[in-house]
Amino acid sequence: MHHPLAARIFAREVGRIDTLGAAAHRERLLEGVAGRVLEIGAGTGISFNDYPSTVLELIALEPESYLRERATQAAALAPGPVTVVDATAEQIPFPDASFDVAITARVLCSVCDPAAALAELHRVLQPGGELRFYEHVASTNPRLARCQRALDLAWPTLAGGCHSSRDTLRTITRAGFAIEQCERFRFRPNILAAPTSPYVLGRARRA
């Protein structure tokens, strides 16, 4: 997992996107999170300061070296205990039932195998554990959905593996999670983000 150009563009833009609405979305995503928490694809660690004090420990996975370095720096300044780990979502280096909550925030679009990643999240969550997700997804509008599929012929190569047309909600349920709450909305921080503007934010439960 090495995307030096995409990682640097992401690191430069993530703060600006936060001010345009992503920070408010993430605040809702993390509201009430407690216990031992796993976040996959932590990026620069921009979320670390947003976790509530009810989180006893946060483990943050980030496989991209430049972003992981930035996340490690952010972890040192975080108000709670954060450990940044070099690992992918498809191979989480922790035993079964290790976590109370798992967090995915704008990352399932770019993992190599989302089904494998969600199977791993299901494995490492305790029975009854919670998956919180905030992801851009395939549009329910047929015309935009066709545009997304066409874009994905080239876009992942240019954008660090990001796909615009993934049906993430279906993949979540197929991994064995029961979706308890889900909000659909549009978020377009700039005109280039139009194909990735359909979003979902919600919670699912591991059986």
Side-chain angles (χ1 to χ4, degrees):
M1 295 296 295
H2 188 55
H3 301 287
L5 179 58
R8 283 161 174 79
I9 292 172
F10 172 83
R12 186 185 66 188
E13 292 295 309
V14 68
R16 186 182 66 83
I17 293 172
D18 252 27
T19 64
L20 295 174
H25 301 156
R26 192 172 58 249
E27 182 179 348
R28 290 166 52 206
L29 175 74
L30 300 178
E31 182 179 4
V33 169
R36 194 168 191 238
V37 179
L38 173 70
E39 179 179 345
I40 64 167
T44 63
I46 197 168
S47 67
F48 295 166
N49 288 336
D50 298 325
Y51 280 89
S53 59
T54 47
V55 172
L56 303 179
E57 181 185 16
L58 172 62
I59 304 295
L61 307 189
E62 179 47 62
E64 209 289 323
S65 58
Y66 177 77
L67 295 177
R68 187 171 61 254
E69 181 180 352
R70 295 283 299 271
T72 301
Q73 295 168 359
L77 302 174
V82 181
T83 303
V84 178
V85 177
D86 178 7
T88 67
E90 295 91 340
Q91 293 182 305
I92 299 174
F94 292 94
D96 296 357
S98 295
F99 297 94
D100 301 296
V101 183
I103 306 293
T104 79
R106 300 169 64 203
V107 66
L108 291 175
C109 62
S110 58
V111 298
C112 294
D113 187 340
L118 283 158
E120 275 289 86
L121 291 175
H122 189 277
R123 178 185 68 80
V124 299
L125 276 173
Q126 294 184 11
E130 192 175 53
L131 172 68
R132 301 279 187 101
F133 54 89
Y134 165 44
E135 301 288 342
H136 70 76
V137 294
S139 177
T140 56
N141 179 292
R143 180 176 295 178
L144 179 54
R146 286 194 296 270
C147 291
Q148 288 177 317
R149 290 192 293 271
L151 179 68
D152 279 352
L153 296 175
W155 181 245
T157 302
L158 301 173
C162 176
H163 294 71
S164 65
S165 63
R166 285 183 170 173
D167 190 348
T168 298
L169 292 180
R170 178 181 294 183
T171 310
I172 288 172
T173 57
R174 285 182 172 177
F177 291 96
I179 295 176
E180 297 183 335
Q181 177 183 333
C182 181
E183 176 187 352
R184 287 185 178 269
F185 59 96
R186 299 289 294 272
F187 175 51
R188 194 182 76 170
N190 57 59
I191 192 169
L192 294 177
T196 59
S197 60
Y199 270 76
V200 292
L201 190 156
R203 308 176 183 187
R205 187 75 57 182
R206 182 202 189 279

